[in-house]
Every structure is written in structure tokens, then in C-alpha cells.
Amino acid sequence: MSEQFPLRISAMFRSGISGYVRNLVPLTAAAAVTIAVFGVFRFWAQVAINDGRTFQSIVLDLVGLVLAGTIALPWFAYALDAARDQPIDLAGPWRNGKQFLAQLVCAVFFWAAFLLGLRYLAGIPSILATLFYGFYGYVVADRAAKGGLRALGTSVRLGTKRRVALFAILALFGAFNLLAAIPLGYDVSALTVVFTLALLTVTASITLVGGACLYDALTERLGEQ
């Protein structure tokens, strides 16, 4: 089990929480921007599906996911800094436009597979996409590969022979983020939606910092091979 889990899950959670608390403002701001971008498109996608415009709803969801996934680059970069206990370099992700291009390429491939799998194939391709390509944001933010396609390839290599372990981690952190939806269980209103989104910025940021710790551990193992 230690081979599959180069970092204990408890350590990931602790690092995620402490890293988020130490860098509350930049991580929350990056999370809020990312979630807000997707939220706008999700709203219009829901309106479309309520009107029976299924195809338009899918397109709006995909555009929202890709744009949010691209804009999330600073969020990944800040999470890496937080996980490494380094000062947040606020301007770092904005110094090289090629990074955003690479992030866009990754986001198109990842979210297209994720969304189509979620809608049509019982979510199995969505899980597989996350297990194989889920580290792409860290790879791009870390400048560990040149170009989006190479970043996706690096993400695949990071998880080699550890898919079962990564699935367990994915399930636990997925359940953790579902805690943000608790207010919606009481009532769906403007207040509970806003409260849910606020909670999601916290849980998702903690998850991202914890994932950055795992990324570093896997990168170190990959370098040793």
C-alpha cells in the first residue's frame, strides 16, 4: 500500500488545510473566479435543458468547463506554491501566455471526455479521464512539460501502476467536496446557492493543495524510476 500511496491521505488533508489557511486570500480569489466562470455557463445550460434544448445545454456546459479549466491555471500555480510552503507568486502564471494555451489544450481534451462520459456512459469515462489526466493543471503550472499534449502525457505517467490508489483518493476527496452541497439539501434558493459556492471555494482549494502535495510526491517517484 505504501508503494501505491507515496503520500498518506491524512497527510494530504492536513497539508491541504494548512496550505489553504496560510494562503487564504489568493487561493479563495482564484477559486471564486474559476467557479464563477463555470457557474455562469452552468446557469444558461440549465435554462437550455429546461427548455428542451439538450444539445445547446451540452455545448454551454462544455464551453463553461473548458473556459473555467483554462482560467484555473493561477489556482493550480498558487496551490503548488502553498503545498511547497513557498510565498504565493501572484503574477507568476501571467508571465507566459503559452502556459494558458497549454492549459486550454488540456482543458478541451479533459473536459470533453469528462462531460460526454458523464452524460452518456454512466460516468465511467469521466472517472478514467480524471485518473489518467487529472494532474494536467499541476504539470502546466509547474512548467514540467512543453505544450498541452505533453502535459497530458506527463499526467498519465505520474499515475502509472497507481490507478486503484488514485481512485480511492479521488473518491475520498470527491466525498469531501460534496459536503459543500449540504445547504442545498435543506432548500434551493439564492442564499443556499451562494453559501454552497462559498463552501466549495474552501473544499476545492483544500483539495487542490492536497493534490499538489500528491503531485510532488508522484513527480519525485517518477524521477527516481
Side-chain angles (χ1 to χ4, degrees):
M1 186 65 70
S2 60
E3 175 62 22
Q4 290 190 329
F5 284 92
L7 183 67
R8 290 181 179 275
I9 297 177
S10 58
M12 290 176 62
F13 271 103
R14 287 197 302 271
S15 297
I17 293 171
S18 62
Y20 175 65
V21 171
R22 290 195 308 270
N23 303 279
L24 186 68
V25 174
L27 283 169
T28 300
V33 170
T34 302
I35 293 171
V37 168
F38 172 68
V40 170
F41 284 89
R42 176 85 278 278
F43 172 80
W44 289 112
Q46 188 61 47
V47 171
I49 203 169
N50 290 343
D51 293 340
R53 294 174 284 135
T54 304
F55 179 75
Q56 185 175 349
S57 172
I58 294 174
V59 171
L60 286 168
D61 267 334
L62 182 57
V63 171
L65 287 167
V66 169
L67 286 178
T70 303
I71 293 172
L73 176 60
W75 196 12
F76 280 99
Y78 301 162
L80 282 171
D81 287 340
R84 294 166 180 173
D85 200 17
Q86 298 174 350
I88 298 291
D89 184 3
L90 294 175
W94 306 96
R95 294 193 183 105
N96 189 348
K98 290 183 179 179
Q99 276 189 283
F100 279 96
L101 180 59
Q103 187 83 350
L104 173 62
V105 171
C106 291
V108 169
F109 279 90
F110 177 81
W111 289 112
F114 187 94
L115 181 61
L116 294 177
L118 192 64
R119 284 184 175 262
Y120 296 113
L121 295 171
I124 295 176
S126 305
I127 296 173
L128 293 176
T130 305
L131 293 178
F132 281 86
Y133 302 120
F135 291 106
Y136 79 84
Y138 299 112
V139 178
V140 175
D142 200 28
R143 298 179 177 88
K146 293 183 178 180
L149 295 180
R150 290 186 179 181
L152 291 171
T154 300
S155 178
V156 172
R157 290 194 298 275
L158 285 171
T160 300
K161 298 181 181 180
R162 297 185 176 92
R163 307 298 175 196
V164 175
L166 290 176
F167 177 77
I169 293 171
L170 175 65
L172 287 172
F173 274 96
F176 173 64
N177 281 277
L178 283 177
L179 294 175
I182 289 177
L184 295 179
Y186 292 95
D187 180 39
V188 179
S189 64
L191 179 61
T192 56
V193 169
V194 170
F195 194 35
T196 295
L197 292 177
L199 287 176
L200 187 59
T201 63
V202 176
T203 59
S205 292
I206 291 172
T207 299
L208 217 62
V209 177
C213 294
L214 179 59
Y215 164 79
D216 279 342
L218 292 175
T219 299
E220 182 179 351
R221 289 292 181 91
L222 187 64
E224 293 173 353
Q225 295 175 358

